[in-house]
Amino acid sequence: MGALSNDAGTIKFVHTYGVGLHSSETEPDVHDPGWQRLQIEEFVDFATYAEELGFDGITVTEHHAPLMTCPSPHLLVAAAAMRTSRIRLGTAVTVLPLYSPIRVAEEAGTLDLLSGGRFELGLGRGIPGEAQIAVGRELTDEELKQAWVEGLEVVNLALTERDFTYDGKFFPVTRPTTIATRPLQDRLPVWLGGASKETMALAGAHGWNVMRNFGSDQDHREALEHYVKVAADNGYTRSGGNMMLERFVAIGETEEQAQGNLGKLVRSFGQFLSLFTAGGRRVVPETDGEFALDNKKNRPAMAISGTPDQIVDALQETIDATGARRVLVETFTREEARLFAREVIPVLKERNATAS
């Protein structure tokens, strides 16, 4: 199948999966290991199902709060790698500040070996406070930014160089180092998640891909243009095939069914937000589309709902307005995933097919 960013002439669809969000229980005991185990098993089963349905890829979301039972996304991707053979596998995203960047590169290489060259590494800064937890002390905004940039540089060096060293404040590598598990792919696809122009520039400068969920269509279009320009200035040719936008999807055969599925989506996400905020002790991120709410409609701001034709129209509008040619979707039931794969993906792929 090749990397998700290959073949810009084709629209590609990746299904992301918030482990725990897909539970059908209205009041699950999220602290019960039995319930948690079931969520993990259902993700691995869904990965095989997504492959059967023809999705181009599947990613898993990292979060560190009850209900979302995926604090260790690489472990879940490894399990999915053993049960699938064609679908691309990735993280959306690995929260880089929580790890040693060398360890991230080693695990990425291991996952690429396990999957036979199908792994794609998504990297992000995570929610406020997670980096502080990782380093065990308070950092200024400038120090947080410097640590983030250093981490990216070390991951890049580890994935592409042998016997490298790095003169850094937060992640110095003083002894020549080569990771033990090098990726099969040359180069391993990397997706940088974020909303700011600075993040788009970092991705462009490294020749990486970008993953976005926050902002208006105009914001995404301007981000793509900036990213493509910076990439060109650094010797890389990039396009909408290197940008992925995320959408929650509630789909039904009828508008009534779609509305019912949207209600389930809103309920699941409301449960997560309630647990995430820990009674007001934890701040909700303001620059992450997964947490942004459309207060007029009382649902996640990036959620779309409707019949297959309505979903096609909504996603076509997004594709046209933003220029992105990679779509990261999350449906919340297998029936919706099947309907999306059968009635939406083929239509949009045919409608948007162009010469590569």
Side-chain angles (χ1 to χ4, degrees):
M1 185 178 288
L4 290 170
S5 57
N6 288 358
D7 185 11
T10 300
I11 299 290
K12 292 186 180 180
F13 293 88
V14 179
H15 198 295
T16 195
Y17 197 100
V19 184
L21 281 183
H22 298 243
S23 173
S24 60
E25 297 181 47
T26 55
E27 295 184 4
D29 180 358
V30 299
H31 301 291
D32 174 19
W35 180 84
Q36 294 168 354
R37 178 186 179 186
L38 180 60
Q39 306 317 303
I40 290 171
E41 289 175 345
E42 288 186 351
F43 161 71
V44 178
D45 287 341
F46 185 84
T48 66
Y49 188 58
E51 181 171 82
E52 293 170 7
L53 291 176
F55 281 91
D56 296 288
I58 184 166
T59 66
V60 67
T61 303
E62 176 176 359
H63 277 301
H64 298 264
L67 186 68
M68 280 272 207
T69 50
C70 189
S72 305
H74 296 176
L75 293 178
L76 271 67
V77 171
M82 295 293 91
R83 294 274 299 276
T84 58
S85 60
R86 301 182 308 277
I87 195 169
R88 305 293 292 183
L89 305 167
T91 54
V93 291
T94 298
V95 181
L96 182 59
L98 290 179
Y99 306 88
S100 154
I102 291 179
R103 184 66 173 172
V104 168
E106 289 175 331
E107 292 190 2
T110 302
L111 288 168
D112 207 43
L113 296 173
L114 275 172
S115 63
R118 292 183 288 130
F119 181 64
E120 310 212 0
L121 176 64
L123 295 173
R125 296 179 69 168
I127 62 170
E130 286 185 333
Q132 309 283 17
I133 294 170
V135 298
R137 63 186 176 93
E138 291 294 317
L139 299 177
T140 66
D141 289 345
E142 186 57 36
E143 287 175 324
L144 285 170
K145 180 178 179 180
Q146 184 180 350
W148 163 244
V149 172
E150 280 194 15
L152 294 175
E153 292 294 340
V154 173
V155 168
N156 186 50
L157 287 168
L159 288 173
T160 59
E161 303 288 340
R162 296 184 181 182
D163 294 330
F164 73 92
T165 59
Y166 182 73
D167 182 17
K169 174 182 177 181
F170 295 94
F171 302 109
V173 183
T174 57
R175 185 179 66 182
T177 299
T178 302
I179 61 173
T181 48
R182 302 190 63 78
L184 284 176
Q185 298 174 89
D186 185 20
R187 303 167 53 196
L188 182 83
V190 176
W191 295 80
L192 209 55
S196 69
K197 282 194 172 182
E198 290 79 9
T199 299
M200 299 301 102
L202 278 171
H206 285 91
W208 291 340
N209 310 292
V210 291
M211 187 183 299
R212 294 173 60 87
N213 61 20
F214 185 80
S216 66
D217 286 347
Q218 183 63 29
D219 292 334
H220 295 316
R221 170 66 72 171
E222 292 175 358
L224 176 60
E225 292 172 352
H226 183 61
Y227 161 73
V228 169
K229 180 181 183 303
V230 173
D233 291 343
N234 286 271
Y236 300 103
T237 301
R238 294 295 180 264
S239 70
N242 302 95
M243 176 180 278
M244 188 167 349
L245 296 183
E246 184 178 6
R247 292 290 183 269
F248 292 135
V249 176
I251 187 172
E253 295 279 6
T254 65
E255 290 187 29
E256 291 75 18
Q257 287 179 356
Q259 194 64 31
N261 288 331
L262 177 62
K264 296 175 185 176
L265 184 160
V266 170
R267 186 186 69 236
S268 294
F269 207 77
Q271 287 177 328
F272 172 60
L273 277 178
S274 176
L275 290 164
F276 179 89
T277 56
R281 297 190 302 275
R282 199 174 194 186
V283 178
V284 175
E286 296 181 356
T287 57
D288 190 327
E290 289 187 340
F291 293 86
L293 297 178
D294 184 336
N295 292 322
K296 292 181 180 179
K297 297 182 179 180
N298 190 33
R299 70 194 204 192
M302 63 184 189
I304 58 175
S305 64
T307 64
D309 287 345
Q310 290 171 328
I311 297 296
V312 165
D313 290 342
L315 290 179
Q316 185 64 63
E317 182 178 344
T318 296
I319 291 166
D320 291 340
T322 65
R325 295 182 66 80
R326 300 294 178 260
V327 185
L328 185 68
V329 302
E330 182 160 14
T331 63
F332 282 68
T333 65
R334 289 196 175 204
E335 293 75 15
E336 290 176 272
R338 182 176 65 249
L339 185 58
F340 186 92
R342 188 181 68 212
E343 303 290 343
V344 176
I345 290 179
V347 175
L348 286 172
K349 286 204 173 194
E350 182 177 358
R351 184 181 294 180
N352 293 278
T354 65
S356 301

